[in-house]
Amino acid sequence: MLPDTLLRTGRIWNVEQSFLLGHLIPFRVTTAIEIRSLSRVFSGRKETLALDDINLTVEEGELFGLLGPNGAGKTTLIKILSTLLLPSNGTAHVLGHDVYSDANSIRKRINMVSGGEISGYGLLTIRENLWMFTQFYGVPRVVAKKRIDNLLDIFGLQDKADAKLRTVSTGQRQKMNIIRGFATDPELIFLDEPTLGLDVSTSIDIRNYLREWISECSSRTMMLTTHYMKEAEELCDRVAIIDRGRIVAIDTPAGLKRRVGRGSSFLIEATPFNPESIQSIPGVRAFVARPSEDHMHLRMILDDESVIADIISEIVSSGAQVTSLNKNEPTLEDAFMHLVGRGLV
Amino acid sequence: MAIKDHLRTLKISAWLGWQIESNWARPSLFLLYSFIRPIAATLILVIMYLIVKQNVASEPALFSYMYLGATFYMFVSSVVFGITYVIHTDREHYQTLRNIYISPISLYVYLIGRAAGKVALATLAVIISLIFGIVVLGLPFNLLMVDWILFVPTMALGMACLISLGLALAGISLLTAKHSTSINEGVGGLVYLLCGAVFPITVLPAWGQAIGLTIPITYWLELIRRSLYPGEGIELLGGLQDFTDGTIMIFLLISTLIFTMLSLTMFHYADRIARKKGKLDMITTY
């Protein structure tokens, strides 16, 4: 049972860590998100288990990533934590408050942005849309104005600030929504695929901003969902790999990559062939085939190097030609394949 | 949540509501629309009346009864269905409902604030319609004769009742994205039929009258007519002639209180179900 004073201040001691470390050094770790045995079922004509017995702890100050394919349950989890959806079973505490019974205490301190989000009132200008939401969060007018101007500058939207939202591009609407999330200066922000559909340079700018935002203040926490491996690898302190509603692994990106094992990740390029038979070769742990116009790219995790001979022989026997073979340092994508048994896309 | 937080929400959402209501066209076009719409709406009934009765002067009390009912019914359609439509448009069209829902504001206060814009526009429409009735159609009306002591609390209670009804329907709308428009139209038709908006409830069958008497809008419309036309015989037409103004005011107060409690409970319950079923950010593109 947690002490009332800690619950009231919205800080839960991470009991194990504080017990182990607290006796030796004056170190305190607080928990931003605590999820226990959380499940979510969507009923309808066909019942769907979107989240299945999720257990997860995210510490304050962490940039935590949820990595998984479409339909893995990432958005459902974000919706539950941001108080938009109720869980079917289990508990979730955000900043010390129960999402089920104490949603109002959570809402003051969080915000959420969904990637590809083009929401907003088209009749209002970008500045008016942003200002309105800061007022809903009780941000003082002067502070709100300064913060909005600063964020508009950072995201390159200053020249569109007074344009009606209906007149700007989809990408600019998306940027406005990202600003909306940060303009209220939340303690914890949920970003659901924040760079979805954005061009490369904008995505880089956004990632840079996310890094800067989290490093500015040690009490800020971010939970990010993505299916971009690079994004998770570049940004996240820890990543949970989620597949079919279950968390398969939680670790740092480096830790996840270590699980693959050195010398087991290969990339083969060949002329087009049917890759289905590769899966049945003994020693192939997982593979992803990405066909292009005149080539087939195969990314594989193998039990050991000797399997590669069987794979080449299979490709050649199917009438294709191997044009290149590379042995790679494991990436997060390899880690995903290793843990899930298939590729992300 | 502190009262100042609610007041801030009310102010911002009223501002948003007004922007949405008034900002869709050039000011001149908006002004023109604001004049034409209420007149066009009431003229339909006026023409029907004139076809039957030939002229207004033959039965001025009956004409006033019908004209006032049709005019003040604009509040019902604007406020009640306006609130419901906020849920629909914020969720489906602007896609902002989820952002508003997870913000630290009261959704009730937000919806009431959004209704303020509707109330302002409906008030303008009613005033224009009344002026048109007096000047063009010869609606007998004397501003000095109006019973303001009866009119002001009647309007206040009426607005409370309409906002409550709007919240109840907004709750249903949270759960039924596809059918909110038809529910609005259905409820609107029933209220129009059962509450004596344009004809006395005495023409209804007994069960219809019984239902009409449980709806506060019936008492609200009756008191509006009585307060604007005191002692002109209009009170003899509505089927509530056995009751004094004070008694009807008590009926209005009690039924509004019951309605408000039922509406808040209904909205609260619908909100919980919508959050449970994941309907708050449902986009049906219907």
Side-chain angles (χ1 to χ4, degrees):
Chain A
M1 200 66 182
L2 293 158
D4 279 349
T5 47
L6 293 175
L7 285 172
R8 269 201 299 275
T9 54
R11 299 280 189 268
I12 297 180
W13 278 87
N14 182 317
V15 178
E16 294 104 304
Q17 290 190 45
S18 64
F19 183 79
L20 292 170
L21 299 169
H23 287 82
L24 304 171
I25 45 172
F27 180 71
R28 182 182 160 175
V29 179
T30 53
T31 300
I33 299 168
E34 179 121 42
I35 300 168
R36 292 287 167 258
S37 308
L38 190 86
S39 299
R40 171 69 215 200
V41 178
F42 285 104
S43 49
R45 280 181 201 150
K46 192 182 160 203
E47 209 165 72
T48 312
L49 183 60
L51 293 173
D52 184 10
D53 196 27
I54 299 281
N55 289 285
L56 178 66
T57 304
V58 177
E59 306 301 347
E60 187 183 271
E62 258 194 301
L63 202 165
F64 190 89
L66 285 171
L67 182 68
N70 291 333
K74 307 185 297 289
T75 301
T76 303
L77 184 56
I78 291 270
K79 282 184 186 178
I80 289 173
L81 296 175
S82 61
T83 75
L84 193 62
L85 184 68
L86 286 171
S88 302
N89 279 304
T91 62
H93 284 83
V94 174
L95 300 168
H97 302 283
D98 186 359
V99 292
Y100 191 89
S101 60
D102 203 4
N104 285 336
S105 303
I106 295 170
R107 288 172 182 159
K108 291 175 206 159
R109 301 165 65 187
I110 63 156
N111 213 329
M112 176 184 66
V113 177
S114 298
E117 189 174 342
I118 52 162
S119 65
Y121 297 98
L123 289 158
L124 303 183
T125 65
I126 285 182
R127 194 191 298 279
E128 285 170 337
N129 269 288
L130 293 169
W131 178 80
M132 187 186 75
F133 275 100
T134 59
Q135 296 313 291
F136 284 155
Y137 283 78
V139 180
R141 280 162 177 265
V142 181
V143 177
K145 190 183 175 306
K146 203 174 157 189
R147 201 181 283 157
I148 289 168
D149 276 337
N150 184 36
L151 286 163
L152 287 169
D153 270 339
I154 291 170
F155 285 86
L157 273 186
Q158 194 59 267
D159 60 329
K160 292 282 177 187
D162 297 313
K164 301 256 190 216
L165 189 64
R166 63 169 183 230
T167 65
V168 305
S169 70
T170 306
Q172 287 163 335
R173 286 177 85 121
Q174 267 183 260
K175 281 187 189 177
M176 186 209 75
N177 272 298
I178 294 174
I179 296 175
R180 177 186 52 70
F182 288 98
T184 59
D185 194 23
E187 289 170 53
L188 168 58
I189 190 160
F190 297 100
L191 300 174
D192 189 10
E193 309 270 6
T195 57
L196 186 73
L198 291 172
D199 61 61
V200 176
S201 107
T202 307
S203 300
I204 292 169
D205 289 346
I206 288 170
R207 280 181 212 139
N208 288 339
Y209 178 73
L210 300 185
R211 253 191 299 265
E212 198 184 309
W213 184 82
I214 199 100
S215 63
E216 269 174 8
C217 177
S218 62
S219 62
R220 285 175 176 171
T221 309
M222 188 182 296
M223 182 180 256
L224 170 104
T225 77
T226 184
H227 63 260
Y228 298 137
M229 300 287 181
K230 198 170 168 240
E231 195 162 270
E233 197 160 353
E234 270 183 23
L235 286 174
C236 300
D237 300 321
R238 284 194 305 148
V239 172
I241 290 180
I242 183 166
D243 184 50
R244 292 178 181 139
R246 292 190 76 93
I247 289 182
V248 181
I250 305 174
D251 207 336
T252 59
L256 288 170
K257 285 190 277 185
R258 271 198 300 275
R259 296 187 189 199
V260 181
R262 293 178 74 86
S264 55
S265 168
F266 289 87
L267 186 67
I268 290 179
E269 255 183 54
T271 53
F273 72 102
N274 184 353
E276 271 174 32
S277 55
I278 300 290
Q279 183 70 73
S280 57
I281 297 172
V284 175
R285 271 191 255 158
F287 82 102
V288 179
R290 292 197 180 98
S292 64
E293 207 172 292
D294 54 357
H295 266 85
M296 176 67 75
H297 303 262
L298 271 183
R299 190 173 197 100
M300 293 170 299
I301 309 294
L302 307 178
D303 281 341
D304 83 58
E305 279 182 20
S306 63
V307 183
I308 204 76
D310 297 335
I311 293 168
I312 290 172
S313 149
E314 179 67 32
I315 294 171
V316 171
S317 68
S318 70
Q321 283 184 319
V322 175
T323 51
S324 75
L325 167 65
N326 285 298
K327 188 174 171 183
N328 302 317
E329 279 299 304
T331 63
L332 204 52
E333 185 170 13
D334 296 324
F336 185 89
M337 285 163 60
H338 168 70
L339 290 159
V340 175
R342 60 190 160 82
L344 191 58
V345 283
Chain B
M1 206 175 284
I3 289 176
K4 71 172 177 120
D5 294 331
H6 289 314
L7 287 175
R8 190 184 56 241
T9 304
L10 198 67
K11 192 174 142 192
I12 301 296
S13 52
W15 170 82
L16 172 64
W18 178 251
Q19 293 296 317
I20 289 173
E21 293 299 324
S22 65
N23 215 356
W24 55 270
R26 289 192 305 276
S28 54
L29 188 62
F30 173 69
L31 208 63
L32 188 67
Y33 171 79
S34 303
F35 273 92
I36 290 175
R37 195 179 67 98
I39 292 168
T42 43
L43 269 183
I44 298 167
L45 272 169
V46 168
I47 289 166
M48 285 164 66
Y49 177 87
L50 289 177
I51 288 168
V52 177
K53 292 283 179 183
Q54 301 302 319
N55 64 64
V56 172
S58 63
E59 284 183 73
L62 182 62
F63 180 71
S64 304
Y65 180 95
M66 185 208 72
Y67 195 84
L68 284 180
T71 299
F72 278 83
Y73 189 80
M74 285 183 214
F75 277 113
V76 180
S77 47
S78 291
V79 179
V80 176
F81 312 132
I83 292 176
T84 315
Y85 214 57
V86 169
I87 296 287
H88 186 70
T89 54
D90 273 11
R91 178 168 54 191
E92 301 252 346
H93 183 63
Y94 302 117
Q95 297 179 19
T96 48
L97 187 65
R98 65 176 157 191
N99 303 326
I100 285 162
Y101 191 84
I102 65 157
S103 69
I105 61 169
S106 158
L107 200 54
Y108 300 112
V109 179
Y110 171 75
L111 290 172
I112 293 167
R114 286 289 297 270
K118 308 267 180 198
V119 172
L121 274 182
T123 305
L124 184 70
V126 166
I127 291 169
I128 290 167
S129 185
L130 283 177
I131 292 170
F132 180 81
I134 294 161
V135 174
V136 180
L137 302 172
L139 181 75
F141 185 80
N142 186 347
L143 204 61
L144 297 173
M145 293 290 288
V146 172
D147 185 349
W148 295 106
I149 294 168
L150 184 62
F151 181 77
V152 172
T154 299
M155 277 306 289
L157 278 175
M159 288 305 111
C161 158
L162 296 182
I163 288 170
S164 321
L165 185 57
L167 284 174
L169 292 180
I172 294 170
S173 198
L174 277 176
L175 303 172
T176 55
K178 285 184 181 176
H179 307 296
S180 62
T181 311
S182 26
I183 289 169
N184 279 353
E185 283 171 3
V187 172
L190 276 177
V191 170
Y192 197 71
L193 184 73
L194 298 170
C195 295
V198 287
F199 52 79
I201 58 168
T202 45
V203 303
L204 296 170
W207 59 265
Q209 289 184 45
I211 296 171
L213 290 172
T214 62
I215 304 173
I217 295 168
T218 308
Y219 305 113
W220 175 63
L221 286 172
E222 177 68 16
L223 285 179
I224 288 289
R225 290 182 179 114
R226 288 190 185 194
S227 60
L228 293 179
Y229 284 88
E232 297 287 326
I234 207 165
E235 68 278 7
L236 302 174
L237 298 170
L240 296 169
Q241 61 272 26
D242 295 339
F243 302 106
T244 63
D245 296 352
T247 311
I248 296 176
M249 181 62 88
I250 290 167
F251 289 161
L252 175 61
L253 179 68
I254 292 169
S255 57
T256 298
L257 282 174
I258 294 169
F259 237 69
T260 305
M261 282 187 290
L262 285 175
S263 295
L264 291 178
T265 309
M266 199 163 153
F267 188 85
H268 178 76
Y269 189 63
D271 173 13
R272 181 52 66 141
I273 294 174
R275 197 175 156 211
K276 195 173 169 186
K277 293 195 168 184
K279 302 226 171 205
L280 291 160
D281 61 343
M282 176 176 56
I283 309 288
T284 61
T285 62
Y286 188 72

